[in-house]
Each structure stands twice: as C-alpha cells, then as structure tokens.
C-alpha cells in the first residue's frame, strides 16, 4: 500500500487580520489564555500579525507593533512583540520559534534597533533560548486614565538586526503595553 508522504514543514505567513476569533481558534475561548489577568493590566492590540496554519486551522501567532519609549533620558522606538500563542495540542514542536522568527524578520525592516516583549517569569528560559535577554531595570508603562505603573511581568529584549546593545537606564513606555 502506498505510504502517505510526510507532511510539509510548517511555515509562518503574514496574516491579513487577527481578531479575537483567530486568537480563540489557537488558544480556546478561556478567560485568561495568557495567564496575565492577575496583573489587571490593559494591553494594546498588535499592528502586524504572523501565523502558522495547519490545513484550515490557525495554530500559532505572534504580533508586532511599534512603540515609543524612553531609556534613561533618551527617547527612541522599539518593536513590541506580543500575543505569542501556540495551540495546546501542537506545543513543543518549534512553532513559537517559527512564528517569532517570522515576526523578527519583519521587525528588521521596521527601523527600531530593538524588540521588546513582556512575559511571565516561567517563560524567561524559553525566550532566553530564542536569543532574548531579560532587563533588570524598572519598566514603567501607561494604563488608562493616565496612570503610570511598574510592569510586574518580566521584560525581555533582543536586537533584531545588528546586535545593538540595549542602552542603560530605566525604561518608560509612552503607551499601554502590547
Ligand atoms: C509559550 C508558548 C507560545 C510556547 O510555544 P511552543 O510552540 O511550545 O514553543 P516552541 O516549541 O517553539 O519552543 C521554543 C524553543 O524554546 C525551547 N524551550 C521551551 N521551553 C523551554 C525552557 N523551559 N527552557 C529553555 N528552552 C525552552 C524549545 O525547546 C524550543 O527550542 P528549539 O526550537 O531550539 O527546540 C506556548 O506554550 C503558549 O502558547 N502558551 C500560552 C500563551 C502564552 O503564555 N504565550 C506567551 C506570551 S509572552
């Protein structure tokens, strides 16, 4: 009997949109799929979206958006990475690596010399493994009604294109986090 050919290696593509329905397709419709509800933070949607499909099904996502920040006294821009998600039944197969790589490939074309993300402490080793490094400086972010709060999650950074060192000093986001 003829054998099925092995399935093609998954590839990441740019997504034309990423709504709550697409997120639910990946993570299910739970109340707190990213495990960050206890922070009480409000978040910005992302502007560019990258995903992996298995057949008709979306199984992984990473999003990007440009953010204004100050590091120490210096204003600059970073590419914020967020909404990283892989469907529970296909985790541990490199799909987060694949979709984050696609997002960072695009980040290289956007101008800012650094990408930044926020994650729960248990994910620090995973992101370190993917070339990100944790920042120990305080990171202040905006919240509704002009409130400023210290980010309670871990902040991680990576230079998407030229190994630019992250500048010294406390970090201030001039927006909600992404
Ligand atoms: C976090 C999440 C995206 C990871 O997805 P995944 O597809 O299982 O991750 P990958 O298989 O691509 O793993 C990425 C790499 O990290 C490595 N890795 C995983 N856990 C690790 C750990 N604890 N320490 C070091 N490396 C680790 C993997 O081996 C892999 O490396 P490799 O490509 O060299 O083998 C997924 O668990 C998820 O969607 N969780 C819920 C939503 C969430 O919390 N998102 C994060 C928002 S910041």
């Amino acid at each position: 009997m003829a054998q099925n050919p092995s399935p093609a290696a998954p590839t990441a593509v740019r997504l034309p949109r990423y709504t709550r329905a697409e997120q639910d397709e990946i993570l299910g419709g739970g109340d707190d799929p990213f495990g960050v509800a206890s922070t009480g933070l409000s978040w910005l949607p992302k502007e560019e979206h990258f995903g992996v499909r298995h057949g008709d099904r979306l199984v992984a996502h990473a999003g990007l958006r440009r953010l204004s920040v100050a590091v120490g006294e210096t204003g600059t821009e970073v590419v914020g990475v967020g909404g990283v998600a892989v469907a529970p039944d296909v985790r541990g197969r490199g799909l987060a690596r694949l979709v984050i790589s696609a997002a960072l490939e695009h980040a290289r074309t956007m101008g800012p010399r650094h990408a930044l993300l926020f994650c729960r402490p248990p994910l620090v080793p995973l992101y370190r493994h993917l070339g990100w490094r944790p920042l120990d400086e305080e990171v202040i972010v905006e919240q509704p009604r002009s409130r400023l709060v210290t980010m309670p999650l871990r902040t991680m950074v990576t230079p998407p294109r030229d190994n630019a060192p992250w500048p010294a000093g406390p970090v201030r986001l001039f927006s909600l986090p992404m």
Side-chain angles (χ1 to χ4, degrees), residues 95-164:
L95 294 187
R97 175 191 277 281
L98 183 64
V99 82
I100 293 167
S101 299
L104 287 181
E105 183 79 24
H106 183 73
R108 268 180 216 123
T109 68
M110 290 172 68
R113 298 179 76 191
H114 298 277
L116 178 149
L117 63 75
F118 301 113
C119 69
R120 290 176 287 115
L123 291 176
V124 167
L126 182 152
Y127 284 113
R128 261 191 202 278
H129 182 76
L130 296 180
W132 296 71
R133 86 167 177 85
L135 281 189
D136 292 325
E137 291 81 358
E138 182 174 43
V139 178
I140 306 281
V141 303
E142 294 188 357
Q143 287 292 280
R145 296 178 297 286
S146 307
R147 256 184 339 122
L148 297 180
V149 303
T150 298
M151 170 53 69
L153 299 170
R154 293 309 307 270
T155 303
M156 302 198 71
V157 295
T158 193
R161 50 165 205 275
D162 60 1
N163 278 329

Side-chain angles (χ1 to χ4, degrees), residues 9-170:
T11 53
V13 295
R14 189 126 171 221
L15 301 175
R17 64 172 183 280
Y18 187 70
T19 63
R20 180 65 199 226
E22 273 91 30
Q23 181 184 299
D24 288 352
E25 190 178 345
I26 298 172
L27 289 176
D31 288 341
D32 186 17
F34 292 98
V36 297
S38 63
T39 64
L41 290 171
S42 297
W43 300 87
L44 286 174
K46 272 48 83 182
E47 291 169 337
E48 313 275 355
H49 301 279
F50 299 83
V52 178
R53 295 186 196 282
H54 272 186
D56 288 345
R57 184 179 160 220
L58 188 64
V59 294
H61 167 264
L64 294 179
R65 71 177 293 145
R66 192 187 290 267
L67 297 170
S68 290
V69 303
V71 186
E73 300 294 307
T74 309
T76 185
E77 286 193 317
V78 296
V79 178
V81 174
V84 177
V86 174
D89 59 316
V90 291
R91 287 181 190 163
R93 301 184 194 176
L95 294 187
R97 175 191 277 281
L98 183 64
V99 82
I100 293 167
S101 299
L104 287 181
E105 183 79 24
H106 183 73
R108 268 180 216 123
T109 68
M110 290 172 68
R113 298 179 76 191
H114 298 277
L116 178 149
L117 63 75
F118 301 113
C119 69
R120 290 176 287 115
L123 291 176
V124 167
L126 182 152
Y127 284 113
R128 261 191 202 278
H129 182 76
L130 296 180
W132 296 71
R133 86 167 177 85
L135 281 189
D136 292 325
E137 291 81 358
E138 182 174 43
V139 178
I140 306 281
V141 303
E142 294 188 357
Q143 287 292 280
R145 296 178 297 286
S146 307
R147 256 184 339 122
L148 297 180
V149 303
T150 298
M151 170 53 69
L153 299 170
R154 293 309 307 270
T155 303
M156 302 198 71
V157 295
T158 193
R161 50 165 205 275
D162 60 1
N163 278 329
W166 180 264

